[in-house]
Amino acid sequence: MTPELQRMDWMPSPPLAPIDTPLDLDHLSRMTLGDAELEQEVLAMFAEQAVRLMAAMATLPAEAAALAHKLKGSARGIGAFAVADAAASLETAIQSGHNQRHAFAALKEAVTEARAAIEAILKP
């Protein structure tokens, strides 16, 4: 192995098997190094960002693909893989010009489920 590869810190990958919940809490824990306070802060930030991005994408403006891409990255970071997949589908639909409304509806549903899971976690 080359020295460059030996020094490289690898990012954990999402699970290979699908999960049944809107959030992969094990992934979130790895990404926040097990810091429960940071997990809550990141989840709250994602929930707020998702609302803003969904509102901005509602009319599918010219920048909707870029907004979907942004949401996809944020969702992957917290383990909201259904949101990330739906955002990727919307991004593809916008670029191809096909099924944009359907893809947006699927993303809206995934975000709603993720936000409900986040609310349950953040409740005192």
Side-chain angles (χ1 to χ4, degrees):
M1 194 180 312
T2 64
E4 294 81 26
L5 292 178
Q6 290 174 350
R7 290 191 313 255
M8 186 175 271
D9 292 327
W10 295 99
M11 292 294 293
S13 297
L16 296 176
I19 57 171
D20 292 337
T21 61
L23 298 173
D24 181 340
L25 298 178
D26 290 334
H27 178 78
L28 176 63
S29 180
R30 285 190 306 273
M31 296 304 288
T32 58
L33 303 175
D35 184 332
E37 189 175 309
L38 180 57
E39 285 179 18
Q40 291 190 353
E41 184 179 333
V42 168
L43 288 174
M45 287 172 37
F46 175 80
E48 291 174 17
Q49 179 192 43
V51 168
R52 285 192 313 273
L53 291 174
M54 292 302 293
M57 286 186 283
T59 61
L60 295 173
E63 67 274 6
L67 297 172
H69 185 79
K70 184 175 189 174
L71 182 57
K72 176 178 67 176
S74 296
R76 285 184 178 154
I78 68 157
F81 296 116
V83 172
D85 291 346
S89 293
L90 177 58
E91 191 177 7
T92 300
I94 291 168
Q95 291 166 348
S96 71
H98 300 293
N99 299 320
Q100 297 171 20
R101 287 282 162 205
H102 180 268
F104 182 76
L107 176 58
K108 187 174 181 180
E109 183 178 329
V111 167
T112 299
E113 291 175 6
R115 289 192 67 238
I118 290 169
E119 274 185 36
I121 291 169
L122 296 181
K123 279 187 179 177

